[in-house]
Amino acid sequence: MPMENRDAHHGNHKVTADIVVVGAGLSGLVAAATAYAAGKTVAILDQEPGASVGGQAHWSFGGLFMVNTPEQRRLGVKDNVELALSDWLASADFDRSQDRTAREWAEAYVHFAAGEKRAWLRSLGVGIFPLVQWAERGGYGPQGHGNTVPRFHVTWGTGPALVEPFLAKVHEGIRAGKVSVHFRHRALSLTTTAGRVTGISGEVLERSTAVRGQATGRGAVGSFEARADAVVVTTGGIGGNHAAVRRQWPGDTAPDYMLSGVPASVDGEFLSAVESAGASLINGDRMWHYPEGIHNYDPVWPHHGIRILPGPSSLWLDADGRQLPAPLFPGFDSQGALRHIVGTGHGYSWFVLNRTIALKELALSGSEQNPDLTGKDVRLLASRLRPTTDSPIQRFMDQGVDFLQASTPAGLATRMNQLTGTSLIDAAALEVVILARDSQVSSGLGKDPQLAAIRAARRFATDKLMRVAPPHRLTDPQHGPLMAIRLSVLTRKSLGGITTDLHSRVLDGEGMAVPGLYAAGEAAGFGGGGIHGYRALEGTFLGGCLFTGRAAGRHAAASV
């Protein structure tokens, strides 16, 4: 649904509502829709043009972490809230005093994911693809990081379908005269009256005809003041602001070169204004960036990267050609792999595989890279079982700068070195790694833990059907040619942020609520300033926006 950029040409004007929401991403739309449904007037402000409504959620794969669902049970998956919470806490590894509220959010969210989440979304018309995926498989034992069972439920229609019902509710409010939306309104500071947050002030930016996700200008044509009884901050994280990412990177070890998995508008600049109003910002060093980024051959925003969603069969090598240690197999521990790769002194790594594995196992994150799921096209979806030359992954194989092919390990090594302008990959050593893997396959049994993981994965119906190739020799000509894919670090999510209680009220450094101020989504660390701790179980970012946005809308409405 398009929205008019009605206010971008006005200068020095005023906006008044019961509740002002800063940010028109998923959590902002959920908060606004919830507050409007509670009978309140709502004004939504966003610095981007109307084309970008829905924010990052629109670009997403639509993955949702859910527990003990009918979809899981139909696939033979045995899950429950206790197991899910155990996995969450083992992955989060909360170890700081300020993690208390984050842990409360985590426990509440897991119960939500095992309870009303699915029924609530279905009541809004959101469907779920029946084949549950298995992300973040862990591999560190029963008390370590990772999902014990598959929990990644893909929205039928991907991210846009998740945004749609809340956007529709906002449009209903606009028609009723209860909701107003103001694009190109860049919030700069919070207004406080008698100790209570009562509004926002900022700049009206010049009009922009940029399409969704494109970088936009920051030239101001006027100013605005928005007055309200409560303000909800949903301005997102810092993933598009590489300078901020580098400042917050633990140990000052950020790689020299990174791709962006989010638009440039995800800059985190309003967080300092929230802090100036008394909010406590915590856990800024906890971030969720991916090691499996590839350059988008058709970029929308600066340094636009796409994340590969891998099956478990590719060999994962560092920049020097050394295989990553167990259990750092593709799809098992994103942050463990990221730390290992960055620790080598390089910001990139390699998948080594063949054409059969690429077409069977590699998927691409994002709504635009999954036209079958996004368009709810069953016929196109069926082609995943028999990959064609027009699939998204095939187009990257044909046009992507990071994708290399060769008939022999030596030929592949040559192309890898040519791409990076180095001589780091030794052809003989690469051949040894590949042939050692092939010998384990040929044995029929073997001692390779990665092959054991592949065989275990194929016991799960979804993996066997569409995500994991049968074990075979990488050098088998029937499955060739050999391939290498250069993987770069891809910025994505902030795991820390504004501290909030379970009502989404913003807390100060003493743990007291800042009157009139609420926060939701990534700006709030998806709840409590860091609901994920150090690691996420995937499918929890969109869900965190839903959960915290709804809480903020409900409680802000109840407070005015």
Side-chain angles (χ1 to χ4, degrees), residues 201-220:
S201 63
E203 299 172 336
V204 179
L205 303 180
E206 61 192 356
R207 282 186 177 274
S208 173
T209 59
V211 300
R212 180 184 294 278
Q214 280 187 334
T216 57
R218 292 291 178 262

Side-chain angles (χ1 to χ4, degrees), residues 105-118:
W105 272 104
E107 292 174 354
Y109 179 73
V110 171
H111 281 87
F112 170 66
E116 64 174 312
K117 181 178 182 180
R118 181 180 180 277

Side-chain angles (χ1 to χ4, degrees), residues 409-410 413 425-435:
I425 303 299
D426 180 82
L430 179 63
E431 184 172 24
V432 167
V433 171
I434 292 173
L435 294 183

Side-chain angles (χ1 to χ4, degrees), residues 36-120:
Y36 159 67
K40 305 303 177 181
T41 59
V42 182
I44 304 172
L45 312 174
D46 197 283
Q47 68 181 7
E48 295 307 298
S52 289
V53 68
Q56 296 177 62
H58 174 89
W59 296 101
S60 75
F61 194 32
L64 296 168
F65 174 96
M66 289 193 285
V67 178
N68 192 24
T69 63
E71 289 78 16
Q72 286 175 300
R73 293 193 293 271
R74 281 194 289 268
L75 293 167
V77 175
K78 299 176 182 179
D79 200 9
N80 58 65
V81 68
E82 293 80 15
L83 182 61
L85 183 57
S86 175
D87 284 349
W88 190 295
L89 295 179
S91 299
D93 195 23
F94 294 122
D95 63 355
R96 297 173 179 174
S97 59
Q98 65 261 39
D99 286 337
R100 179 180 58 82
T101 54
R103 180 172 179 139
E104 291 174 352
W105 272 104
E107 292 174 354
Y109 179 73
V110 171
H111 281 87
F112 170 66
E116 64 174 312
K117 181 178 182 180
R118 181 180 180 277
W120 175 54

Side-chain angles (χ1 to χ4, degrees), residues 219-539:
V221 296
S223 62
F224 74 89
E225 293 182 6
R227 294 285 179 175
D229 294 314
V231 173
V232 181
V233 176
T234 63
T235 50
I238 65 170
N241 184 342
H242 284 199
V245 169
R246 294 181 192 284
R247 284 195 302 270
Q248 296 182 192
W249 197 284
D252 192 29
T253 57
D256 293 335
Y257 180 79
M258 297 183 290
L259 297 174
S260 288
V262 295
S265 58
V266 186
D267 55 30
E269 291 185 0
F270 190 63
L271 292 175
S272 61
V274 181
E275 187 174 31
S276 296
S280 172
L281 269 60
I282 60 174
N283 299 323
D285 60 326
R286 294 178 181 169
M287 297 177 283
W288 188 261
H289 306 309
Y290 290 110
E292 312 105 329
I294 54 174
H295 294 78
N296 191 345
Y297 65 84
D298 187 20
V300 177
W301 55 77
H303 308 293
H304 189 171
I306 301 293
R307 185 204 174 195
I308 288 181
L309 301 172
S313 298
S314 300
L315 288 174
W316 201 341
L317 310 182
D318 66 20
D320 293 307
R322 297 183 294 259
Q323 189 171 0
L324 271 60
L328 301 182
F329 312 131
F332 280 65
D333 177 9
S334 293
Q335 298 314 289
L338 177 65
R339 286 196 299 271
H340 181 89
I341 291 162
V342 171
T344 68
H346 300 281
Y348 69 94
S349 59
W350 300 95
F351 281 164
V352 171
L353 61 165
N354 57 31
R355 179 176 174 81
T356 292
I357 293 172
L359 293 178
K360 177 77 171 183
E361 297 196 3
L362 301 187
L364 301 169
S365 182
S367 55
E368 79 280 21
Q369 302 299 336
N370 294 274
D372 48 358
L373 291 164
T374 302
K376 303 181 181 180
D377 189 328
V378 176
R379 180 174 296 181
L380 185 59
L381 180 65
S383 68
R384 290 194 182 224
L385 303 180
R386 51 181 194 289
T388 67
T389 56
D390 193 38
S391 67
I393 195 66
Q394 180 66 58
R395 288 195 288 274
F396 268 87
M397 288 164 60
D398 294 339
Q399 303 179 57
V401 66
D402 299 301
F403 288 72
L404 308 175
Q405 300 183 39
S407 58
T408 65
L412 196 62
T414 297
R415 298 208 61 194
M416 294 163 75
N417 287 330
Q418 288 174 343
L419 180 62
T420 59
T422 71
S423 57
L424 294 176
I425 303 299
D426 180 82
L430 179 63
E431 184 172 24
V432 167
V433 171
I434 292 173
L435 294 183
R437 163 68 171 274
D438 283 359
S439 72
Q440 292 291 298
V441 174
S442 299
S443 75
L445 293 172
K447 60 185 179 182
D448 184 348
Q450 185 172 2
L451 283 174
I454 293 167
R455 292 177 176 126
R458 284 182 55 81
R459 293 172 54 197
F460 174 52
T462 299
D463 280 346
K464 185 172 184 178
L465 180 65
M466 59 184 297
R467 293 292 286 141
V468 184
H472 60 272
R473 291 185 298 110
L474 294 178
T475 54
D476 186 336
Q478 295 183 7
H479 298 282
L482 286 169
M483 296 180 59
I485 305 172
R486 181 181 59 181
L487 308 171
S488 300
V489 173
L490 179 75
T491 65
R492 186 65 68 86
K493 296 293 181 187
S494 307
L495 297 187
I498 304 166
T499 313
T500 57
D501 65 12
L502 289 178
H503 291 172
S504 284
R505 296 181 300 182
V506 172
L507 304 180
D508 63 18
E510 302 300 319
M512 302 298 292
V514 178
L517 187 58
Y518 298 78
E522 190 174 353
F526 303 97
I531 190 173
H532 298 97
Y534 290 95
R535 281 184 171 103
L537 290 177
E538 290 289 14

